[in-house]
Amino acid sequence: MSGNEWNDDKLEKLLHSMPKTKDERSADDILARLKKDERLVPARQPRRKKWMPGFIAVAAMLVLTLLVPSFLKGGFELSDTSMEMSEKSAPQNGESVDTAQFKQSAEESETMEEPATRNAIQADSPTTFMAGKGMQSHVVLENDTDGMKLFTIGLVHVVDVVPITFLIPTELIQSDISSENVNSVELYNHYAKLIDEEGLGFEDYHPYKGKISFQGNTVIHQMPSEHEYDMSPTTIGAYTFSAIASFPDFKEMKVVDDKNEPVVFDYIGEAMEVTLKRPSAFYKYTVNEEQSYLIPYENRKLDEIQEALLAMKNPENDIVTSVIPSSVDYTIQETDDVVTVSFKQLLDLDAYPPNEILEMVEAFMLTAASFDKQIQLHNVKQEYFERYTLTKPLPKPVAANPIVW
């Protein structure tokens, strides 16, 4: 208190000069007030809920109810279950081993899952088509479709498109879609929204914004004014190639606005139309450094099948990789329906990893099929490889990259 001349004497005189206070309340009155003061009342201990042990007991019983049958089934019924699975997976007359695998996967998913979950692809464990020896086949053949319907769709990874084929049991489609001869537009409108694209490693791209319908051999995309399909040449490319993969049974797709007027995309400067039939060379594409697919990729327009088959050796970019081993070289000879790939040196398939050979063979098949032709391999040491007989024309694939729905 610098600047003030206060000292002990002055403070004492000030205190003595203040008026004295008197408490005229009686002792009983003060005691009564203290008893009513809530601050002096001891806090009550909370009572424990007596229902908690009972709840725990019920939960334990529920867990036991769910787990015990599973243990019993796995421990005491193993032999019977194994025999039943073997009988189901055995190919029937006229079926290939791969068709039996497809049918078994479909039957198991139909009996083990609830109806609500059967209608959506389980992204955390998609059932891919195994060709043998732990290898994943990248094609669907005609005899693989018994009891199945193919739902093809172009899934987008970054700005690249991967054609995926979901094999859906025919009975499920008949219950979901009231149409006798269901086409790709009807399949798309019902099932595209059920795919967990991000769970499979792709972008959340489908279904398209707007309305998808068809008229004759033309798909019609009625697009809202606010969309992002023409933000750049790469987004236009993703849109175009996703449509090509999604509607293989149609000839073209027209894009219109809400007034049915043709839509003009930026960077194009003319009404947007997509030709849905386009031959291409196939290459290997990897998603998240784990799952590989065979996809069509265009560096340039390929009008001749010989040009496409030779282009498979050199993709000329780092987006896709070639399925042709660097030491393998070949020539092409074309006839009416069959194109022969003749290896310049005798090709010993055992000299290469089996999975690489499978990718090469099936990429040849897919490239030829895009030109509506079959592939014949010549100058190969082995006569058989996996499910393929190499001494005759290889079957024509009907779709690529199968996953069982």
Side-chain angles (χ1 to χ4, degrees):
M1 296 180 67
S2 60
N4 295 320
E5 296 180 356
W6 289 99
N7 53 34
D8 293 342
D9 294 335
K10 288 184 178 181
L11 288 174
E12 187 175 355
K13 290 180 181 179
L14 177 63
L15 292 174
H16 282 293
S17 64
M18 295 180 65
K20 297 181 179 181
T21 58
K22 295 181 179 181
D23 190 354
E24 298 179 351
R25 295 175 299 175
S26 65
D28 294 336
D29 187 20
I30 294 174
L31 181 60
R33 288 177 178 271
L34 291 175
K35 289 181 178 181
K36 294 181 180 180
D37 194 335
E38 294 181 355
R39 295 171 295 178
L40 302 178
V41 178
R44 295 183 178 180
Q45 296 294 328
R47 297 177 62 184
R48 293 186 177 181
K49 297 181 180 180
K50 297 182 178 181
W51 50 264
M52 185 59 71
F55 172 80
I56 295 175
V58 172
M61 290 296 295
L62 179 60
V63 171
L64 290 174
T65 303
L66 294 174
L67 293 181
V68 169
S70 300
F71 290 144
L72 291 176
K73 183 175 181 179
F76 297 101
E77 297 179 7
L78 180 60
S79 59
D80 295 337
T81 304
S82 302
M83 293 178 61
E84 183 179 351
M85 290 178 65
S86 300
E87 292 175 358
K88 288 185 178 180
S89 61
Q92 305 297 321
N93 293 335
E95 286 185 347
S96 65
V97 174
D98 309 298
T99 304
Q101 291 176 347
F102 267 133
K103 293 177 68 177
Q104 181 189 1
S105 299
E107 291 172 359
E108 289 176 353
S109 63
E110 190 168 353
T111 55
M112 295 177 64
E113 297 179 4
E114 293 296 327
T117 60
R118 271 195 295 115
N119 289 340
I121 183 69
Q122 300 300 311
D124 56 345
S125 57
T127 306
T128 54
F129 182 23
M130 306 307 293
K133 299 179 182 179
M135 294 187 294
Q136 176 188 341
S137 176
H138 297 280
V139 301
V140 182
L141 304 181
E142 187 68 38
N143 61 353
D144 296 326
T145 61
D146 184 26
M148 300 283 186
K149 185 71 177 179
L150 306 185
F151 167 43
T152 60
I153 187 170
L155 300 185
V156 178
H157 180 252
V158 189
V159 291
D160 303 309
V161 175
V162 177
I164 297 292
T165 304
F166 293 105
L167 289 95
I168 307 177
T170 305
E171 294 180 357
L172 178 60
I173 292 179
Q174 290 174 348
S175 64
D176 290 339
I177 305 174
S178 57
S179 177
E180 294 184 359
N181 298 315
V182 61
N183 59 38
S184 60
V185 169
E186 294 169 313
L187 290 170
Y188 181 90
N189 286 332
H190 185 85
Y191 292 107
K193 59 181 176 290
L194 301 178
I195 301 174
D196 182 5
E197 297 167 79
E198 293 180 328
L200 291 170
F202 296 93
E203 310 296 329
D204 184 11
Y205 193 84
H206 294 281
Y208 293 120
K209 295 181 179 179
K211 179 182 178 182
I212 300 293
S213 60
F214 67 95
Q215 185 175 5
N217 206 21
T218 301
V219 179
I220 300 173
H221 184 184
Q222 191 174 47
M223 187 178 293
S225 57
E226 296 182 0
H227 63 83
E228 299 177 349
Y229 298 121
D230 62 346
M231 292 182 61
S232 68
T234 55
T235 59
I236 295 176
Y239 173 80
T240 300
F241 290 108
S242 68
I244 292 173
S246 300
F247 309 110
D249 51 343
F250 287 87
K251 184 178 179 180
E252 62 180 357
M253 183 172 76
K254 293 184 178 180
V255 183
V256 298
D257 58 19
D258 54 3
K259 297 180 181 179
N260 289 322
E261 295 294 330
V263 171
V264 177
F265 271 11
D266 291 342
Y267 302 96
I268 293 180
E270 58 185 17
M272 184 62 183
E273 293 186 1
V274 180
T275 301
L276 298 174
K277 302 292 184 182
R278 187 178 301 189
S280 179
F282 276 72
Y283 303 89
K284 181 178 179 178
Y285 185 85
T286 304
V287 174
N288 299 332
E289 300 182 355
E290 296 177 357
Q291 183 66 46
S292 62
Y293 302 92
L294 296 181
I295 72 168
Y297 192 87
E298 293 186 8
N299 286 323
R300 61 187 185 278
K301 187 177 181 181
L302 301 172
D303 295 321
E304 302 294 335
I305 188 171
Q306 298 98 324
E307 187 181 10
L309 290 171
L310 293 174
M312 293 173 58
K313 297 168 57 178
N314 183 17
E316 300 178 355
N317 62 71
D318 57 357
I319 297 175
V320 293
T321 57
S322 175
V323 295
I324 312 298
S326 58
S327 59
V328 173
D329 200 2
Y330 51 87
T331 59
I332 308 298
Q333 184 177 0
E334 182 181 1
T335 59
D336 292 338
D337 299 319
V338 178
V339 179
T340 301
V341 175
S342 297
F343 299 100
K344 292 184 178 181
Q345 295 182 349
L346 181 66
L347 181 63
D348 183 3
L349 303 184
D350 294 335
Y352 302 91
N355 206 54
E356 291 184 8
I357 294 298
L358 182 64
E359 290 173 345
M360 181 184 71
V361 171
E362 294 186 334
F364 277 140
M365 295 165 59
L366 287 167
T367 300
S370 72
F371 288 87
D372 198 24
K373 291 182 180 292
Q374 290 179 261
I375 278 288
Q376 168 78 65
L377 300 181
H378 178 66
N379 202 24
V380 181
K381 181 178 180 180
Q382 288 77 10
E383 295 184 2
Y384 303 96
F385 178 74
E386 291 303 317
R387 56 174 174 166
Y388 302 119
T389 301
L390 305 181
T391 56
K392 61 182 182 180
L394 299 174
K396 185 189 300 182
V398 294
N401 303 314
I403 297 177
V404 178
W405 187 273

PDB file of all heavy atoms in Angstrom, residues 353-383:
ATOM      1  N   PRO A 353       5.395 -69.037 -63.486  1.00  0.00           N
ATOM      2  CA  PRO A 353       4.388 -69.189 -62.424  1.00  0.00           C
ATOM      3  C   PRO A 353       3.020 -69.457 -63.033  1.00  0.00           C
ATOM      4  O   PRO A 353       2.615 -68.776 -63.990  1.00  0.00           O
ATOM      5  CB  PRO A 353       4.426 -67.833 -61.706  1.00  0.00           C
ATOM      6  CG  PRO A 353       5.787 -67.289 -61.987  1.00  0.00           C
ATOM      7  CD  PRO A 353       6.130 -67.753 -63.373  1.00  0.00           C
ATOM      8  N   PRO A 354       2.286 -70.452 -62.515  1.00  0.00           N
ATOM      9  CA  PRO A 354       0.987 -70.812 -63.110  1.00  0.00           C
ATOM     10  C   PRO A 354       0.013 -69.641 -63.191  1.00  0.00           C
ATOM     11  O   PRO A 354      -0.751 -69.535 -64.161  1.00  0.00           O
ATOM     12  CB  PRO A 354       0.467 -71.913 -62.173  1.00  0.00           C
ATOM     13  CG  PRO A 354       1.680 -72.479 -61.545  1.00  0.00           C
ATOM     14  CD  PRO A 354       2.634 -71.335 -61.401  1.00  0.00           C
ATOM     15  N   ASN A 355       0.035 -68.773 -62.197  1.00  0.00           N
ATOM     16  CA  ASN A 355      -0.910 -67.662 -62.201  1.00  0.00           C
ATOM     17  C   ASN A 355      -0.634 -66.699 -63.354  1.00  0.00           C
ATOM     18  O   ASN A 355      -1.559 -66.132 -63.945  1.00  0.00           O
ATOM     19  CB  ASN A 355      -0.851 -66.912 -60.866  1.00  0.00           C
ATOM     20  CG  ASN A 355      -2.153 -66.206 -60.553  1.00  0.00           C
ATOM     21  OD1 ASN A 355      -3.211 -66.843 -60.563  1.00  0.00           O
ATOM     22  ND2 ASN A 355      -2.098 -64.920 -60.295  1.00  0.00           N
ATOM     23  N   GLU A 356       0.650 -66.510 -63.697  1.00  0.00           N
ATOM     24  CA  GLU A 356       0.998 -65.641 -64.822  1.00  0.00           C
ATOM     25  C   GLU A 356       0.543 -66.258 -66.144  1.00  0.00           C
ATOM     26  O   GLU A 356       0.083 -65.546 -67.043  1.00  0.00           O
ATOM     27  CB  GLU A 356       2.503 -65.388 -64.837  1.00  0.00           C
ATOM     28  CG  GLU A 356       2.999 -64.530 -63.679  1.00  0.00           C
ATOM     29  CD  GLU A 356       4.475 -64.222 -63.785  1.00  0.00           C
ATOM     30  OE1 GLU A 356       5.078 -64.553 -64.839  1.00  0.00           O
ATOM     31  OE2 GLU A 356       5.041 -63.677 -62.821  1.00  0.00           O
ATOM     32  N   ILE A 357       0.674 -67.561 -66.273  1.00  0.00           N
ATOM     33  CA  ILE A 357       0.219 -68.237 -67.489  1.00  0.00           C
ATOM     34  C   ILE A 357      -1.292 -68.125 -67.618  1.00  0.00           C
ATOM     35  O   ILE A 357      -1.826 -67.863 -68.708  1.00  0.00           O
ATOM     36  CB  ILE A 357       0.665 -69.714 -67.492  1.00  0.00           C
ATOM     37  CG1 ILE A 357       2.184 -69.803 -67.571  1.00  0.00           C
ATOM     38  CG2 ILE A 357       0.015 -70.460 -68.653  1.00  0.00           C
ATOM     39  CD1 ILE A 357       2.780 -69.217 -68.840  1.00  0.00           C
ATOM     40  N   LEU A 358      -2.013 -68.292 -66.493  1.00  0.00           N
ATOM     41  CA  LEU A 358      -3.466 -68.185 -66.539  1.00  0.00           C
ATOM     42  C   LEU A 358      -3.893 -66.783 -66.971  1.00  0.00           C
ATOM     43  O   LEU A 358      -4.803 -66.625 -67.788  1.00  0.00           O
ATOM     44  CB  LEU A 358      -4.057 -68.522 -65.170  1.00  0.00           C
ATOM     45  CG  LEU A 358      -5.586 -68.498 -65.081  1.00  0.00           C
ATOM     46  CD1 LEU A 358      -6.195 -69.576 -65.969  1.00  0.00           C
ATOM     47  CD2 LEU A 358      -6.047 -68.680 -63.636  1.00  0.00           C
ATOM     48  N   GLU A 359      -3.224 -65.757 -66.452  1.00  0.00           N
ATOM     49  CA  GLU A 359      -3.554 -64.383 -66.851  1.00  0.00           C
ATOM     50  C   GLU A 359      -3.280 -64.163 -68.330  1.00  0.00           C
ATOM     51  O   GLU A 359      -4.077 -63.512 -69.024  1.00  0.00           O
ATOM     52  CB  GLU A 359      -2.750 -63.393 -66.005  1.00  0.00           C
ATOM     53  CG  GLU A 359      -3.184 -63.339 -64.548  1.00  0.00           C
ATOM     54  CD  GLU A 359      -2.271 -62.497 -63.692  1.00  0.00           C
ATOM     55  OE1 GLU A 359      -1.149 -62.181 -64.156  1.00  0.00           O
ATOM     56  OE2 GLU A 359      -2.644 -62.160 -62.551  1.00  0.00           O
ATOM     57  N   MET A 360      -2.188 -64.682 -68.835  1.00  0.00           N
ATOM     58  CA  MET A 360      -1.864 -64.512 -70.248  1.00  0.00           C
ATOM     59  C   MET A 360      -2.895 -65.205 -71.135  1.00  0.00           C
ATOM     60  O   MET A 360      -3.420 -64.603 -72.091  1.00  0.00           O
ATOM     61  CB  MET A 360      -0.466 -65.059 -70.559  1.00  0.00           C
ATOM     62  CG  MET A 360      -0.055 -64.896 -72.022  1.00  0.00           C
ATOM     63  SD  MET A 360       1.547 -65.654 -72.414  1.00  0.00           S
ATOM     64  CE  MET A 360       1.136 -67.405 -72.305  1.00  0.00           C
ATOM     65  N   VAL A 361      -3.204 -66.451 -70.824  1.00  0.00           N
ATOM     66  CA  VAL A 361      -4.150 -67.211 -71.642  1.00  0.00           C
ATOM     67  C   VAL A 361      -5.517 -66.547 -71.633  1.00  0.00           C
ATOM     68  O   VAL A 361      -6.150 -66.362 -72.693  1.00  0.00           O
ATOM     69  CB  VAL A 361      -4.245 -68.663 -71.134  1.00  0.00           C
ATOM     70  CG1 VAL A 361      -5.394 -69.404 -71.830  1.00  0.00           C
ATOM     71  CG2 VAL A 361      -2.926 -69.401 -71.367  1.00  0.00           C
ATOM     72  N   GLU A 362      -5.999 -66.147 -70.456  1.00  0.00           N
ATOM     73  CA  GLU A 362      -7.338 -65.577 -70.388  1.00  0.00           C
ATOM     74  C   GLU A 362      -7.380 -64.160 -70.951  1.00  0.00           C
ATOM     75  O   GLU A 362      -8.417 -63.726 -71.463  1.00  0.00           O
ATOM     76  CB  GLU A 362      -7.842 -65.620 -68.944  1.00  0.00           C
ATOM     77  CG  GLU A 362      -8.041 -67.056 -68.464  1.00  0.00           C
ATOM     78  CD  GLU A 362      -8.687 -67.158 -67.094  1.00  0.00           C
ATOM     79  OE1 GLU A 362      -8.556 -66.209 -66.288  1.00  0.00           O
ATOM     80  OE2 GLU A 362      -9.313 -68.206 -66.811  1.00  0.00           O
ATOM     81  N   ALA A 363      -6.277 -63.419 -70.893  1.00  0.00           N
ATOM     82  CA  ALA A 363      -6.239 -62.104 -71.540  1.00  0.00           C
ATOM     83  C   ALA A 363      -6.286 -62.260 -73.058  1.00  0.00           C
ATOM     84  O   ALA A 363      -6.943 -61.462 -73.747  1.00  0.00           O
ATOM     85  CB  ALA A 363      -4.985 -61.348 -71.120  1.00  0.00           C
ATOM     86  N   PHE A 364      -5.612 -63.273 -73.596  1.00  0.00           N
ATOM     87  CA  PHE A 364      -5.747 -63.583 -75.027  1.00  0.00           C
ATOM     88  C   PHE A 364      -7.214 -63.866 -75.374  1.00  0.00           C
ATOM     89  O   PHE A 364      -7.756 -63.370 -76.376  1.00  0.00           O
ATOM     90  CB  PHE A 364      -4.892 -64.795 -75.400  1.00  0.00           C
ATOM     91  CG  PHE A 364      -3.444 -64.486 -75.664  1.00  0.00           C
ATOM     92  CD1 PHE A 364      -2.437 -65.334 -75.214  1.00  0.00           C
ATOM     93  CD2 PHE A 364      -3.076 -63.352 -76.366  1.00  0.00           C
ATOM     94  CE1 PHE A 364      -1.101 -65.046 -75.457  1.00  0.00           C
ATOM     95  CE2 PHE A 364      -1.739 -63.059 -76.625  1.00  0.00           C
ATOM     96  CZ  PHE A 364      -0.748 -63.914 -76.166  1.00  0.00           C
ATOM     97  N   MET A 365      -7.859 -64.670 -74.545  1.00  0.00           N
ATOM     98  CA  MET A 365      -9.251 -65.046 -74.800  1.00  0.00           C
ATOM     99  C   MET A 365     -10.174 -63.831 -74.766  1.00  0.00           C
ATOM    100  O   MET A 365     -11.065 -63.682 -75.624  1.00  0.00           O
ATOM    101  CB  MET A 365      -9.690 -66.087 -73.765  1.00  0.00           C
ATOM    102  CG  MET A 365      -8.956 -67.417 -73.861  1.00  0.00           C
ATOM    103  SD  MET A 365      -9.161 -68.464 -72.378  1.00  0.00           S
ATOM    104  CE  MET A 365     -10.927 -68.668 -72.333  1.00  0.00           C
ATOM    105  N   LEU A 366      -9.983 -62.944 -73.791  1.00  0.00           N
ATOM    106  CA  LEU A 366     -10.844 -61.772 -73.663  1.00  0.00           C
ATOM    107  C   LEU A 366     -10.617 -60.787 -74.810  1.00  0.00           C
ATOM    108  O   LEU A 366     -11.575 -60.188 -75.327  1.00  0.00           O
ATOM    109  CB  LEU A 366     -10.583 -61.082 -72.326  1.00  0.00           C
ATOM    110  CG  LEU A 366     -11.118 -61.795 -71.084  1.00  0.00           C
ATOM    111  CD1 LEU A 366     -10.532 -61.179 -69.814  1.00  0.00           C
ATOM    112  CD2 LEU A 366     -12.640 -61.740 -71.041  1.00  0.00           C
ATOM    113  N   THR A 367      -9.365 -60.616 -75.210  1.00  0.00           N
ATOM    114  CA  THR A 367      -9.079 -59.713 -76.326  1.00  0.00           C
ATOM    115  C   THR A 367      -9.722 -60.228 -77.604  1.00  0.00           C
ATOM    116  O   THR A 367     -10.352 -59.459 -78.355  1.00  0.00           O
ATOM    117  CB  THR A 367      -7.559 -59.561 -76.515  1.00  0.00           C
ATOM    118  OG1 THR A 367      -6.990 -59.026 -75.320  1.00  0.00           O
ATOM    119  CG2 THR A 367      -7.242 -58.646 -77.676  1.00  0.00           C
ATOM    120  N   ALA A 368      -9.595 -61.521 -77.865  1.00  0.00           N
ATOM    121  CA  ALA A 368     -10.212 -62.096 -79.060  1.00  0.00           C
ATOM    122  C   ALA A 368     -11.737 -62.001 -78.993  1.00  0.00           C
ATOM    123  O   ALA A 368     -12.401 -61.698 -79.988  1.00  0.00           O
ATOM    124  CB  ALA A 368      -9.774 -63.553 -79.235  1.00  0.00           C
ATOM    125  N   ALA A 369     -12.309 -62.243 -77.815  1.00  0.00           N
ATOM    126  CA  ALA A 369     -13.762 -62.192 -77.666  1.00  0.00           C
ATOM    127  C   ALA A 369     -14.300 -60.789 -77.927  1.00  0.00           C
ATOM    128  O   ALA A 369     -15.426 -60.633 -78.402  1.00  0.00           O
ATOM    129  CB  ALA A 369     -14.157 -62.658 -76.271  1.00  0.00           C
ATOM    130  N   SER A 370     -13.518 -59.747 -77.605  1.00  0.00           N
ATOM    131  CA  SER A 370     -13.983 -58.386 -77.878  1.00  0.00           C
ATOM    132  C   SER A 370     -14.110 -58.132 -79.369  1.00  0.00           C
ATOM    133  O   SER A 370     -14.830 -57.219 -79.779  1.00  0.00           O
ATOM    134  CB  SER A 370     -13.032 -57.368 -77.241  1.00  0.00           C
ATOM    135  OG  SER A 370     -11.801 -57.294 -77.931  1.00  0.00           O
ATOM    136  N   PHE A 371     -13.416 -58.935 -80.173  1.00  0.00           N
ATOM    137  CA  PHE A 371     -13.558 -58.884 -81.636  1.00  0.00           C
ATOM    138  C   PHE A 371     -14.487 -59.987 -82.136  1.00  0.00           C
ATOM    139  O   PHE A 371     -14.566 -60.232 -83.341  1.00  0.00           O
ATOM    140  CB  PHE A 371     -12.191 -59.033 -82.311  1.00  0.00           C
ATOM    141  CG  PHE A 371     -11.301 -57.829 -82.171  1.00  0.00           C
ATOM    142  CD1 PHE A 371     -10.478 -57.677 -81.065  1.00  0.00           C
ATOM    143  CD2 PHE A 371     -11.285 -56.840 -83.152  1.00  0.00           C
ATOM    144  CE1 PHE A 371      -9.656 -56.569 -80.928  1.00  0.00           C
ATOM    145  CE2 PHE A 371     -10.456 -55.733 -83.030  1.00  0.00           C
ATOM    146  CZ  PHE A 371      -9.645 -55.585 -81.908  1.00  0.00           C
ATOM    147  N   ASP A 372     -15.165 -60.681 -81.189  1.00  0.00           N
ATOM    148  CA  ASP A 372     -16.085 -61.767 -81.511  1.00  0.00           C
ATOM    149  C   ASP A 372     -15.363 -62.930 -82.180  1.00  0.00           C
ATOM    150  O   ASP A 372     -15.867 -63.531 -83.130  1.00  0.00           O
ATOM    151  CB  ASP A 372     -17.228 -61.267 -82.394  1.00  0.00           C
ATOM    152  CG  ASP A 372     -18.419 -62.238 -82.385  1.00  0.00           C
ATOM    153  OD1 ASP A 372     -18.550 -62.998 -81.409  1.00  0.00           O
ATOM    154  OD2 ASP A 372     -19.199 -62.247 -83.356  1.00  0.00           O
ATOM    155  N   LYS A 373     -14.183 -63.290 -81.658  1.00  0.00           N
ATOM    156  CA  LYS A 373     -13.410 -64.399 -82.192  1.00  0.00           C
ATOM    157  C   LYS A 373     -12.877 -65.265 -81.058  1.00  0.00           C
ATOM    158  O   LYS A 373     -12.903 -64.866 -79.884  1.00  0.00           O
ATOM    159  CB  LYS A 373     -12.252 -63.890 -83.067  1.00  0.00           C
ATOM    160  CG  LYS A 373     -12.704 -63.240 -84.373  1.00  0.00           C
ATOM    161  CD  LYS A 373     -11.518 -62.808 -85.208  1.00  0.00           C
ATOM    162  CE  LYS A 373     -11.979 -62.166 -86.506  1.00  0.00           C
ATOM    163  NZ  LYS A 373     -12.629 -63.145 -87.405  1.00  0.00           N
ATOM    164  N   GLN A 374     -12.365 -66.444 -81.425  1.00  0.00           N
ATOM    165  CA  GLN A 374     -11.736 -67.352 -80.478  1.00  0.00           C
ATOM    166  C   GLN A 374     -10.235 -67.379 -80.707  1.00  0.00           C
ATOM    167  O   GLN A 374      -9.742 -67.034 -81.786  1.00  0.00           O
ATOM    168  CB  GLN A 374     -12.289 -68.776 -80.634  1.00  0.00           C
ATOM    169  CG  GLN A 374     -13.720 -68.955 -80.174  1.00  0.00           C
ATOM    170  CD  GLN A 374     -14.215 -70.371 -80.379  1.00  0.00           C
ATOM    171  OE1 GLN A 374     -14.897 -70.655 -81.357  1.00  0.00           O
ATOM    172  NE2 GLN A 374     -13.872 -71.260 -79.446  1.00  0.00           N
ATOM    173  N   ILE A 375      -9.529 -67.816 -79.668  1.00  0.00           N
ATOM    174  CA  ILE A 375      -8.069 -67.898 -79.697  1.00  0.00           C
ATOM    175  C   ILE A 375      -7.630 -69.352 -79.804  1.00  0.00           C
ATOM    176  O   ILE A 375      -8.187 -70.236 -79.142  1.00  0.00           O
ATOM    177  CB  ILE A 375      -7.462 -67.251 -78.434  1.00  0.00           C
ATOM    178  CG1 ILE A 375      -7.363 -65.738 -78.590  1.00  0.00           C
ATOM    179  CG2 ILE A 375      -6.080 -67.811 -78.114  1.00  0.00           C
ATOM    180  CD1 ILE A 375      -6.283 -65.292 -79.575  1.00  0.00           C
ATOM    181  N   GLN A 376      -6.621 -69.575 -80.613  1.00  0.00           N
ATOM    182  CA  GLN A 376      -5.955 -70.874 -80.689  1.00  0.00           C
ATOM    183  C   GLN A 376      -4.473 -70.653 -80.414  1.00  0.00           C
ATOM    184  O   GLN A 376      -3.838 -69.810 -81.064  1.00  0.00           O
ATOM    185  CB  GLN A 376      -6.145 -71.487 -82.068  1.00  0.00           C
ATOM    186  CG  GLN A 376      -5.259 -72.700 -82.349  1.00  0.00           C
ATOM    187  CD  GLN A 376      -5.772 -73.982 -81.702  1.00  0.00           C
ATOM    188  OE1 GLN A 376      -6.831 -74.463 -82.059  1.00  0.00           O
ATOM    189  NE2 GLN A 376      -5.014 -74.513 -80.758  1.00  0.00           N
ATOM    190  N   LEU A 377      -3.917 -71.384 -79.437  1.00  0.00           N
ATOM    191  CA  LEU A 377      -2.500 -71.270 -79.126  1.00  0.00           C
ATOM    192  C   LEU A 377      -1.727 -72.351 -79.872  1.00  0.00           C
ATOM    193  O   LEU A 377      -2.156 -73.509 -79.948  1.00  0.00           O
ATOM    194  CB  LEU A 377      -2.270 -71.395 -77.613  1.00  0.00           C
ATOM    195  CG  LEU A 377      -2.972 -70.360 -76.729  1.00  0.00           C
ATOM    196  CD1 LEU A 377      -2.618 -70.596 -75.265  1.00  0.00           C
ATOM    197  CD2 LEU A 377      -2.626 -68.942 -77.151  1.00  0.00           C
ATOM    198  N   HIS A 378      -0.570 -71.986 -80.401  1.00  0.00           N
ATOM    199  CA  HIS A 378       0.248 -72.926 -81.182  1.00  0.00           C
ATOM    200  C   HIS A 378       1.687 -72.905 -80.670  1.00  0.00           C
ATOM    201  O   HIS A 378       2.198 -71.869 -80.249  1.00  0.00           O
ATOM    202  CB  HIS A 378       0.218 -72.536 -82.668  1.00  0.00           C
ATOM    203  CG  HIS A 378       1.063 -73.414 -83.536  1.00  0.00           C
ATOM    204  ND1 HIS A 378       0.799 -74.747 -83.743  1.00  0.00           N
ATOM    205  CD2 HIS A 378       2.201 -73.144 -84.240  1.00  0.00           C
ATOM    206  CE1 HIS A 378       1.714 -75.263 -84.542  1.00  0.00           C
ATOM    207  NE2 HIS A 378       2.574 -74.316 -84.860  1.00  0.00           N
ATOM    208  N   ASN A 379       2.325 -74.090 -80.706  1.00  0.00           N
ATOM    209  CA  ASN A 379       3.708 -74.286 -80.267  1.00  0.00           C
ATOM    210  C   ASN A 379       3.828 -74.173 -78.743  1.00  0.00           C
ATOM    211  O   ASN A 379       4.726 -73.510 -78.211  1.00  0.00           O
ATOM    212  CB  ASN A 379       4.657 -73.295 -80.956  1.00  0.00           C
ATOM    213  CG  ASN A 379       6.098 -73.805 -80.950  1.00  0.00           C
ATOM    214  OD1 ASN A 379       6.342 -75.012 -80.850  1.00  0.00           O
ATOM    215  ND2 ASN A 379       7.041 -72.873 -81.067  1.00  0.00           N
ATOM    216  N   VAL A 380       2.927 -74.871 -78.058  1.00  0.00           N
ATOM    217  CA  VAL A 380       2.954 -74.969 -76.599  1.00  0.00           C
ATOM    218  C   VAL A 380       3.284 -76.414 -76.235  1.00  0.00           C
ATOM    219  O   VAL A 380       2.721 -77.361 -76.801  1.00  0.00           O
ATOM    220  CB  VAL A 380       1.602 -74.557 -75.978  1.00  0.00           C
ATOM    221  CG1 VAL A 380       1.670 -74.658 -74.458  1.00  0.00           C
ATOM    222  CG2 VAL A 380       1.227 -73.145 -76.397  1.00  0.00           C
ATOM    223  N   LYS A 381       4.165 -76.604 -75.283  1.00  0.00           N
ATOM    224  CA  LYS A 381       4.613 -77.941 -74.909  1.00  0.00           C
ATOM    225  C   LYS A 381       3.486 -78.757 -74.304  1.00  0.00           C
ATOM    226  O   LYS A 381       3.324 -79.949 -74.631  1.00  0.00           O
ATOM    227  CB  LYS A 381       5.778 -77.833 -73.929  1.00  0.00           C
ATOM    228  CG  LYS A 381       6.337 -79.172 -73.491  1.00  0.00           C
ATOM    229  CD  LYS A 381       7.525 -78.986 -72.552  1.00  0.00           C
ATOM    230  CE  LYS A 381       8.083 -80.331 -72.112  1.00  0.00           C
ATOM    231  NZ  LYS A 381       9.253 -80.173 -71.197  1.00  0.00           N
ATOM    232  N   GLN A 382       2.693 -78.173 -73.436  1.00  0.00           N
ATOM    233  CA  GLN A 382       1.625 -78.891 -72.748  1.00  0.00           C
ATOM    234  C   GLN A 382       0.356 -78.920 -73.608  1.00  0.00           C
ATOM    235  O   GLN A 382       0.084 -77.981 -74.377  1.00  0.00           O
ATOM    236  CB  GLN A 382       1.316 -78.234 -71.397  1.00  0.00           C
ATOM    237  CG  GLN A 382       2.380 -78.437 -70.339  1.00  0.00           C
ATOM    238  CD  GLN A 382       3.599 -77.527 -70.535  1.00  0.00           C
ATOM    239  OE1 GLN A 382       3.565 -76.618 -71.356  1.00  0.00           O
ATOM    240  NE2 GLN A 382       4.659 -77.772 -69.780  1.00  0.00           N
ATOM    241  N   GLU A 383      -0.404 -79.987 -73.443  1.00  0.00           N
ATOM    242  CA  GLU A 383      -1.685 -80.096 -74.150  1.00  0.00           C
ATOM    243  C   GLU A 383      -2.840 -79.544 -73.316  1.00  0.00           C
ATOM    244  O   GLU A 383      -3.870 -79.156 -73.880  1.00  0.00           O
ATOM    245  CB  GLU A 383      -1.971 -81.562 -74.508  1.00  0.00           C
ATOM    246  CG  GLU A 383      -0.988 -82.168 -75.500  1.00  0.00           C
ATOM    247  CD  GLU A 383      -1.378 -83.576 -75.888  1.00  0.00           C
ATOM    248  OE1 GLU A 383      -2.446 -84.053 -75.408  1.00  0.00           O
ATOM    249  OE2 GLU A 383      -0.647 -84.217 -76.658  1.00  0.00           O
TER     250      GLU A 383
END
